[in-house]
Amino acid sequence: MIYLIKRILPGQTIGIIGGGQLGQMMTTSAKEMGYHVIILDPQKDCPAAQVADEQVIADYDDEIAILNLAKICDVLTFEFENVDADTIDAAKQYCYVPQGSTALRISQDRISEKQFLEAHNYPIAPFKLIQSFDDLENVIKITGYPSILKTIRGGYDGKGQVILKTSADLIEAEKLIQNRTCVLEGFVQFDREVSVIIARNELGQQSIFPIIENQHRHNILHESSCPSRLSIETRKEVEIIASQIADDCLSVGTMGIEFFVSDSGGVYVNEIAPRPHNSGHLTIEACSLSQFEAHIRGICNLPMLKPQLLSHAIMINILGQHVQPVLNEIQNEGQWRFHFYGKNEAKQDRKMGHVTILTDNIEQAKIDVYQTKIWD
Ligand code: AMP
């Protein structure tokens, strides 16, 4: 039997479902590599459409529009996990969709994600399915406080989560449950949060990036730095787990895998994102390959490079409330590499851009950055 290896070459067309900042940075890389890019997004002139060749204006759940996009593309990809997995499967009859729906289905639902991780023996925090407030009251009697309640679908950037520190937090938890299925997770007393950005092509070749250390504020990623301060042994363990997860869920393109690491070196997988990840934005300047170029290489089935860390770096998100202060500060900051995504409305907590600083002293760079008081 002859198996033809599919490759998408410069000049061919990439369709991207979703036109936010991840789609924008994917498009910028794809354009540098010589691809034609079409974005599907309901918002005219969304961030990705500002740099792409064409835009299809349609909702993310408009199956007909997505299938029509597939008909005019050579390869179809997506920038977020809230795409209908059946539509992704259906699109395969019209063009190359190497990301497929396996990793997508796993990551769309916290229960299937946890079941997948558990079935493959990856270390995760203990969890219980919660379908009603009664369930929660019964389960928390056994699991105790603190615990964290999360909706199983649709939560992002801290939305759809309640930390239960005492029984007083049950009131908030009840509001979250309403008619939604949730998962109650044991609270991990972690020392560090880290992520691994890993890109893979259909042949199984991988680009695995240096581990990134992350800080969240109000459950939204605030700061990432690289290299992480993990011991060599923990680093190896985390990298091996990430590489195996990417293989096990047949990931193609870039994926972000989040981990908690405890003081004693205990490692827990927190979450899988089957797309480029906010913490990986620093790879644009700090690595010999960005997570976005790696994504394009993966979905086009090109050879996967080994990313080298060119410089230590920190990245800080610019949310809506930081935009004006950052704009005022830019002229004083010769080392800041700033990115603005071209979003029209700077709402509170909306991701509007990020700053990356290359440094040989991460701690000093943090002191300097926070002296501006922009992120207080
Ligand atoms: P998630 O949306 O699941 O990534 O959660 C957002 C953030 O909440 C994480 O990055 C952690 O900072 C915190 N968090 C989530 N789950 C847990 C947990 N089981 N234990 C401790 N902190 C958590």
Side-chain angles (χ1 to χ4, degrees):
M1 193 171 84
I2 301 171
Y3 178 70
L4 288 178
I5 296 170
K6 187 90 181 166
R7 287 205 196 286
I8 307 297
L9 294 174
Q12 292 190 280
T13 299
I14 300 175
I16 304 179
I17 304 169
Q21 64 269 22
L22 301 178
Q24 184 186 57
M25 292 182 270
M26 278 180 198
T27 304
T28 302
S29 285
K31 290 306 302 167
E32 283 172 0
M33 295 162 81
Y35 291 96
H36 187 86
V37 181
I38 310 176
I39 302 298
L40 182 144
D41 193 279
Q43 191 205 324
K44 189 174 182 310
D45 210 26
C46 59
Q50 294 169 27
V51 290
D53 297 284
E54 293 177 56
Q55 179 180 5
V56 171
I57 297 179
D59 281 327
Y60 311 127
D61 58 3
D62 183 339
E63 179 166 11
I64 293 171
I66 292 176
L67 297 183
N68 283 338
L69 174 66
K71 288 176 191 165
I72 54 170
C73 291
D74 296 293
V75 58
L76 186 67
T77 183
F78 44 83
E79 61 139 22
F80 54 69
E81 50 269 54
N82 294 325
V83 191
D84 182 61
D86 291 336
T87 305
I88 292 300
D89 284 337
K92 285 184 191 160
Q93 60 190 306
Y94 301 115
C95 75
Y96 184 49
V97 193
Q99 260 166 307
S101 65
T102 307
L104 187 62
R105 286 179 202 277
I106 290 168
S107 63
Q108 274 177 339
D109 178 308
R110 288 192 194 269
I111 291 292
S112 40
E113 186 174 66
K114 288 178 189 306
Q115 285 169 343
F116 160 81
L117 292 167
E118 208 173 40
H120 289 82
N121 289 321
Y122 294 113
I124 55 171
F127 70 96
K128 287 271 183 240
L129 183 68
I130 302 291
Q131 275 163 322
S132 66
F133 187 61
D134 280 353
D135 271 359
L136 177 63
E137 285 190 308
N138 292 331
V139 170
I140 201 130
K141 275 184 209 145
I142 303 160
T143 55
Y145 298 92
S147 288
I148 181 160
L149 185 73
K150 303 177 180 178
T151 53
I152 63 166
R153 291 185 87 93
Y156 66 98
D157 285 349
K159 296 183 180 75
Q161 297 196 6
V162 173
I163 299 176
L164 291 142
K165 292 189 184 131
T166 68
S167 57
D169 297 316
L170 287 171
I171 300 168
E172 270 309 296
E174 188 170 13
K175 286 189 213 151
L176 187 70
I177 297 173
Q178 302 213 335
N179 296 319
R180 282 172 294 206
T181 306
C182 292
V183 60
L184 186 72
E185 262 181 49
F187 196 85
V188 179
Q189 302 293 354
F190 57 81
D191 184 45
R192 302 193 193 294
E193 280 193 77
V194 300
S195 51
V196 177
I197 307 297
I198 183 160
R200 187 174 173 277
N201 66 12
E202 209 182 10
L203 294 173
Q205 297 169 339
Q206 295 185 343
S207 296
I208 177 155
F209 288 78
I211 298 172
I212 296 165
E213 197 169 319
N214 301 315
Q215 306 266 353
H216 290 75
R217 286 191 184 170
H218 312 296
N219 285 351
I220 303 175
L221 182 70
H222 165 63
E223 176 200 289
S224 295
S225 52
C226 190
S228 73
R229 290 167 294 176
L230 300 183
S231 66
I232 294 176
E233 298 76 48
T234 309
R235 224 183 296 160
K236 279 206 182 115
E237 186 183 346
V238 165
E239 280 170 0
I240 290 170
I241 293 175
S243 171
Q244 285 175 350
I245 288 177
D247 280 345
D248 287 342
C249 63
L250 306 173
S251 172
V252 170
T254 293
M255 158 174 269
I257 305 173
E258 299 175 16
F259 294 84
F260 300 133
V261 181
S262 74
D263 254 342
S264 55
V267 165
Y268 301 81
V269 181
N270 173 34
E271 212 170 48
I272 300 173
R275 50 160 172 81
H277 192 262
N278 190 168
S279 65
H281 293 355
L282 56 73
T283 60
I284 295 174
E285 287 94 357
C287 294
S288 56
L289 173 73
S290 80
Q291 65 163 345
F292 300 102
E293 181 180 344
H295 182 74
I296 301 298
R297 296 184 76 94
I299 61 163
C300 292
N301 214 7
L302 301 182
M304 300 306 287
L305 312 175
K306 180 171 167 41
Q308 305 288 345
L309 186 65
L310 303 175
S311 167
H312 294 196
I314 63 170
M315 186 259 358
I316 299 150
N317 270 333
I318 302 172
L319 305 182
Q321 59 272 33
H322 307 132
V323 169
Q324 196 52 51
V326 168
L327 292 176
N328 297 343
E329 184 63 18
I330 279 176
Q331 70 267 28
N332 302 324
E333 303 292 349
Q335 300 307 313
W336 286 14
R337 309 291 293 277
F338 52 85
H339 297 246
F340 282 95
Y341 310 138
K343 295 185 185 176
N344 49 13
E345 229 187 314
K347 289 191 210 143
Q348 174 84 14
D349 286 347
R350 186 178 194 200
K351 290 177 180 168
M352 301 297 291
H354 68 269
V355 171
T356 300
I357 301 163
L358 301 184
T359 177
D360 49 17
N361 186 338
I362 287 182
E363 289 316 311
Q364 187 59 47
K366 287 185 190 178
I367 292 170
D368 293 345
V369 128
Y370 295 124
Q371 262 170 4
T372 65
K373 309 267 185 228
I374 293 172
W375 287 275
D376 281 1

